[in-house]
Amino acid sequence: MMFKDWLKNKTTQLFFVLWLHISLLNLFFVNKRGIVFLWQNNSELNTLLTHFVTALTATLFYIAIIKIRLRLAEKKLTLGNNVFVFGSAVMLALIGFFLF
């Protein structure tokens, strides 16, 4: 029971750190004249919802990875380096797809 409470707390902390990080990164940008703050754009409901969904998606992905690793550990299976290389390549392709 204690482990589940700790895991939930860690996951909740991860979500809030990600949400804060994404919101702060979107709060300002730097150009030749200096820092430009985007207070009005960053406080819109659509922007806040986008940050929330992004942090939630990353947290759910983290939870899924943890559950997969625990199930594999129960079955005494190990993943080779090729699986992680393939996963990294897929993530890189998805990032490239979403950027373009």
Side-chain angles (χ1 to χ4, degrees), residues 3-94:
F3 179 72
K4 285 186 178 182
D5 292 339
W6 178 77
L7 186 61
K8 284 183 182 179
N9 189 17
K10 185 178 178 181
T11 305
T12 305
Q13 289 176 358
L14 174 68
F15 169 76
F16 284 119
V17 166
L18 285 173
W19 191 33
L20 179 67
H21 180 75
I22 293 167
S23 296
L24 286 177
L25 284 176
N26 197 36
L27 181 61
F28 63 90
F29 68 93
V30 180
N31 62 13
K32 292 181 181 181
R33 294 183 179 173
I35 298 174
V36 177
F37 288 96
L38 305 170
W39 297 105
Q40 188 174 9
N41 292 343
N42 205 26
S43 62
E44 291 178 2
L45 182 61
N46 188 24
T47 305
L48 292 173
L49 186 62
T50 303
H51 296 170
F52 181 83
V53 169
T54 304
L56 183 65
T57 303
T59 305
L60 292 175
F61 183 72
Y62 169 78
I63 292 170
I65 293 297
I66 293 296
K67 287 188 177 191
I68 290 169
R69 289 185 65 201
L70 289 174
R71 287 187 182 156
L72 287 175
E74 288 174 358
K75 295 179 180 179
K76 306 282 189 218
L77 295 174
T78 59
L79 296 176
N81 287 335
N82 292 339
V83 174
F84 293 111
V85 170
F86 177 74
S88 298
V90 169
M91 283 184 12
L92 185 62
L94 285 172

